Amino acid sequence: MPNLTYESLQAEYAWMLVSDQLQQRNNVLAKSISHMERNPKELPMASRLIILRYHLKMSLRQLTQSARQHKSESVNVNQLAEQWQHVHQLFFLLRQIDNELGRATTESQALRSWMKSLDGRVYRSSLVHLN
């Protein structure tokens, strides 16, 4: 069993937070796509969101695969540093997704008004989970 330290618990908590937020974005994207597909005029935006969701899933798959590979090759001394590196990579992906989703929301009135209707409910489950 690995050595539990305050630093390793902090890294694990940060990983849980970013993972939960990435799952929330995935859910928002799925619902947004479904909403946009209902209106034929919004199909280009739906396509853009599908590509963004695909990017999210593929990036997560690559980062997770890379982290597993490094974990099996690394020595315990570097384990904490590699864990933080993985967390930082996930946070970077989260920022990318948020930026692209924000840009799409700015460009589409339909998406913007639909997202505003979600306000307050979108991240509720992550807040409940954290408390």
Side-chain angles (χ1 to χ4, degrees):
M1 181 168 183
N3 227 357
L4 280 183
T5 64
Y6 179 73
E7 289 80 15
S8 67
L9 289 174
Q10 278 184 313
E12 186 66 24
Y13 181 68
W15 181 85
M16 285 175 29
L17 283 174
V18 73
S19 296
D20 187 58
Q21 289 300 306
L22 286 166
Q23 183 59 49
Q24 291 292 331
R25 295 323 184 274
N26 184 51
N27 292 342
V28 167
L29 284 169
K31 291 174 185 175
S32 299
I33 292 164
S34 181
H35 179 73
M36 293 290 109
E37 287 176 330
R38 291 183 195 134
N39 183 347
K41 289 189 292 186
E42 298 299 330
L43 289 179
M45 182 53 71
S47 296
R48 185 171 165 184
L49 296 174
I50 288 169
I51 292 168
L52 184 57
R53 189 169 185 226
Y54 178 79
H55 169 68
L56 171 62
K57 288 184 170 203
M58 290 307 297
S59 296
L60 279 174
R61 187 173 293 148
Q62 288 173 344
L63 287 172
T64 303
Q65 196 173 49
S66 174
R68 283 186 186 139
Q69 185 179 13
H70 285 288
K71 191 174 188 176
S72 64
E73 295 171 356
S74 72
V75 182
N76 277 345
V77 175
N78 294 330
Q79 194 170 8
L80 184 60
E82 288 178 7
Q83 190 174 3
W84 274 114
Q85 179 183 1
H86 185 63
V87 168
H88 288 298
Q89 290 169 330
L90 292 174
F91 270 116
F92 180 76
L93 177 60
L94 179 62
R95 283 193 309 271
Q96 278 185 317
I97 297 300
D98 282 348
N99 287 339
E100 286 303 314
L101 195 52
R103 194 171 297 137
T105 302
T106 302
E107 294 172 16
S108 169
Q109 175 59 40
L111 181 59
R112 186 169 46 255
S113 58
W114 182 78
M115 290 288 276
K116 283 182 181 177
S117 76
L118 289 181
D119 232 0
R121 293 184 296 155
V122 174
Y123 304 109
R124 189 181 198 162
S125 65
S126 71
L127 292 175
V128 170
H129 175 73
L130 294 175
N131 291 330

